[in-house]
Amino acid sequence: MSADGAVDSHLNSSLTACANYTGTCGLALSNPSDLRQLDEDHLPKCVENLLILARHINAAVTALPKDSIQQKSQLVASLKQVMDALVQLAAGYFYICTKVMSSPWLLQLLVSDDPKITNIIMATMEKLLRLDPQLLSKIDEETVFSLMDELVYKLTVNTDVMIAAGACRCLLRFCDYHKPLVEALCSRYKGLRPLLRRWEGRGLDRDLRHMGLLLESGSALRAKAQRNHECARYIQAVWRGYAARRRLRKADKAFAKFQKSYRLKRAEQEQVKLATQFQSELYHQMKMKRQKMLRAFNEKRLQTMEILPAARIEEYLRKEKSVAALRIQTLWRGHRERSKLSERQKIAQQVKAAIRIQRAFRRWLEKTELARQEFPTHLKPPGLTDARRVELMKTISKWREQHPPLEIDEAELQSLHKRTHEALAAHYSRVRPYRKLQYQVEGMVARIDTDTELLALAPPLKDVTEKDVAMYSSRSLPVAIAAKERHAKTLRMRQLPWWKILGEEEEDPEDVKEGKEQLEAELLLEAMGI
C-alpha cells in the first residue's frame, strides 16, 4: 500500500474514533468506573491518536513534490479538520488541554516548515488558551520554554509575514494568560527587540508595539502600567488635536466674521465719505451758481439803472420791490399749501371711507326693508283700468247668459273645488322661472354639500400628494381662469383697509341678481302658502 493510502485509512479510522469519543461530550455518565475509564484511558488515547494522525499528515505533506499543489491542499484541509476535532473535544473536556499542550507531537508539528501547517498549529494553541486560561501554569516550564523558543525562532528567522504575525500574536497570548512569562521573555530573549524591527511596516505594527512594551518594561505590571500610560497619552493627543482643530475652526470663523464686519464698516465709511463729498460739492456748486445769478442780476440791474433817466429810477425801484414781494408771497403760499397736503389727503381718505360705509349701510337697509315686506310689490300684476274692467264684466255677463248655472249638489261642488285647487297648485308648480330657480338652488345646495364633504376629507397640507392635488384640481380652462381671477381679487382685497372692502362682495352683478331672484322666489312661495 502506498503512503497516501495508509494516511487516508489512518485518517478515516482516527476520525471515526474521534467522532465516537466526542459524541460523549457534555454527557453525565452515571457509572463512576465508566467516567474514570473515559478520563484515564479513552480521552488520552484519542488525543494521542489525533496528534499522531496530524504528524503523519505533516510527514505526507513534506514528502509530496512541489508541483502537487492539489494533493497538498487536500492534506492541509484534512489536518485542519483533525485539529478542529481536537479543539471540539477539548471544549467538552477542557482538562485535556494540558495533555494537548504538553504533547511532544504538538511541538513537532509546530517545528514544521510548511507555513499553512504552522499557522494551523498556532491557531490551535490560541484556541486552547482561550478554553483554559490557566493552561500554561499547569504544564512544566521546559515545555513552555520549548514552545516559546520555537515561536521566537519563527519570529526572528522566518521570512513569511503570516507566520511572523501568528508567532507574535501567540507570544502575546502566552504573556497575557501567564504573567511570569513576561520576565522570562525579557531575560531569556534579550536581543529580540532589535530583531523585531525587520517586521515594521508589514501589517503587524500593533502587535510589535505591544511586544516592544513588554520587552522594555520587564514585568507584567510595569507593562500594563506603561500600556495604560500609552493609551492615556494617545487619548490626550487625540483630545488635544480635536480641541486644537475646534479652536482653529472657531478662530477661522471669527477672523472671517471680523474681516467681513471690517469690510462692511469700511464700505459704509466710504459710502458716507462719498455722500458727504457729493453733498459738499453740490452745496458748493449751488452756492457758486447762486453767486453767479446774484452777480448777473446786479449787473443787469446796474445796466438798467444806467440806461434809465434819473426821474424814473425811484419808480423802477418801487416796481422791483413789488415784484419781489409778490414772488416771496407766492413761494410762501406754495410752501404752506404743500405742508397742508398730508392733512388734506388724510381728510379726503376719511371722507371716502365714510362714503363707502354709508353706501354699504344703505344697501343693508334696502335688503332688510325688502325682507320685511309681505310680498314683493314689483312682482304684483298691474291694476285694471276702468275700461278694461267694464269690458271684462260684459264678457262675464255674456258667458253667464249663454251658460246658465246647473244645479249641482254639494259633493260635486266639493269635488270641483278640490280640482280647482289642484289645477291652481299644478299651475304654480309649472311656473317656469321659479322652477328653474328652484333647480338652481338645489344644485347649489348639492354642490355646497359635495364641496363641504371634500374639504372635510381633505388631508393636511404637509401630507398632500400629487394624487390629492389632481383630485382637487379642475382641468376646465374657464374654471381655472375664473379661479385665478378670484384668487388675485382676494389677494388685492387683503391688502386694502377694511373700509375699502366694505360691501365689495355685493357689487358683483351676477351675485346680486342671483340673490334678488332667490329672495323674491322665497317670498312669493311663502305668500302663496307653498
Side-chain angles (χ1 to χ4, degrees), residues 78-111:
S78 301
L79 177 63
K80 188 176 185 305
Q81 186 178 2
V82 170
M83 300 309 294
D84 291 340
L86 184 61
V87 172
Q88 185 179 2
L89 183 63
Y93 302 95
F94 64 91
Y95 52 84
I96 67 173
C97 294
T98 306
K99 298 181 177 59
V100 177
M101 190 67 74
S102 59
S103 176
W105 301 111
L106 184 67
L107 182 60
Q108 290 184 11
L109 290 171
L110 185 62
V111 176

Side-chain angles (χ1 to χ4, degrees), residues 175-199:
C175 296
D176 290 339
Y177 289 111
H178 194 53
K179 302 300 181 184
L181 289 180
V182 179
E183 297 180 359
L185 182 66
C186 297
S187 60
R188 190 179 179 91
Y189 310 104
K190 294 182 179 180
L192 179 60
R193 186 179 178 185
L195 297 176
L196 295 177
R197 297 176 181 175
R198 60 194 291 262
W199 299 110

Side-chain angles (χ1 to χ4, degrees), residues 93-301:
Y93 302 95
F94 64 91
Y95 52 84
I96 67 173
C97 294
T98 306
K99 298 181 177 59
V100 177
M101 190 67 74
S102 59
S103 176
W105 301 111
L106 184 67
L107 182 60
Q108 290 184 11
L109 290 171
L110 185 62
V111 176
S112 174
D113 294 333
D114 190 87
K116 296 183 179 180
I117 296 176
T118 305
N119 287 328
I120 292 172
I121 300 303
M122 288 188 292
T124 304
M125 292 169 63
E126 292 182 12
K127 293 177 182 178
L128 294 174
L129 286 173
R130 283 196 295 270
L131 291 175
D132 187 5
Q134 306 296 329
L135 178 59
L136 295 177
S137 61
K138 296 177 183 179
I139 60 179
D140 54 347
E141 293 184 356
E142 185 177 356
T143 304
V144 175
F145 288 150
S146 299
L147 294 173
M148 289 185 65
D149 291 341
E150 184 60 28
L151 291 173
V152 171
Y153 174 78
K154 291 186 178 299
L155 184 61
T156 55
V157 177
N158 192 36
T159 58
D160 194 349
V161 179
M162 298 299 296
I163 295 178
C168 184
R169 188 169 56 252
C170 199
L171 281 174
L172 291 176
R173 297 296 176 272
F174 277 20
C175 296
D176 290 339
Y177 289 111
H178 194 53
K179 302 300 181 184
L181 289 180
V182 179
E183 297 180 359
L185 182 66
C186 297
S187 60
R188 190 179 179 91
Y189 310 104
K190 294 182 179 180
L192 179 60
R193 186 179 178 185
L195 297 176
L196 295 177
R197 297 176 181 175
R198 60 194 291 262
W199 299 110
E200 291 181 356
R202 306 287 292 276
L204 57 154
D205 294 338
R206 184 177 179 181
D207 294 336
L208 291 176
R209 188 164 54 251
H210 192 187
M211 182 70 70
L213 289 175
L214 292 177
L215 294 174
E216 286 180 2
S217 59
S219 65
L221 294 176
R222 286 197 294 270
K224 185 176 181 180
Q226 190 171 0
R227 182 171 178 79
N228 292 338
H229 179 68
E230 291 293 332
C231 293
R233 287 179 58 189
Y234 180 74
I235 294 171
Q236 290 176 0
V238 172
W239 167 250
R240 290 194 184 102
Y242 168 73
R245 287 190 297 272
R246 185 175 64 180
R247 286 195 299 270
L248 285 175
R249 285 196 296 269
K250 288 184 177 179
D252 291 341
K253 291 181 181 179
F255 276 116
K257 189 175 181 180
F258 172 73
Q259 291 174 356
K260 183 178 180 181
S261 61
Y262 175 76
R263 293 191 186 97
L264 290 175
K265 189 173 181 180
R266 189 172 180 180
E268 290 177 359
Q269 291 178 355
E270 292 291 336
Q271 291 290 336
V272 171
K273 186 178 179 181
L274 289 174
T276 307
Q277 186 177 0
F278 177 75
Q279 291 291 337
S280 60
E281 185 69 22
L282 181 62
Y283 177 76
H284 179 69
Q285 290 180 3
M286 292 178 65
K287 187 177 180 181
M288 295 300 295
K289 185 177 180 181
R290 185 177 180 83
Q291 289 178 359
K292 288 181 180 179
M293 290 173 62
L294 185 60
R295 189 179 296 112
F297 175 74
N298 291 331
E299 291 179 356
K300 184 178 179 181
R301 183 181 179 187

Side-chain angles (χ1 to χ4, degrees), residues 413-427:
L413 287 175
Q414 290 180 357
S415 176
L416 180 61
H417 184 71
K418 184 178 180 180
R419 288 198 303 272
T420 304
H421 277 283
E422 289 178 355
L424 182 62
H427 169 70

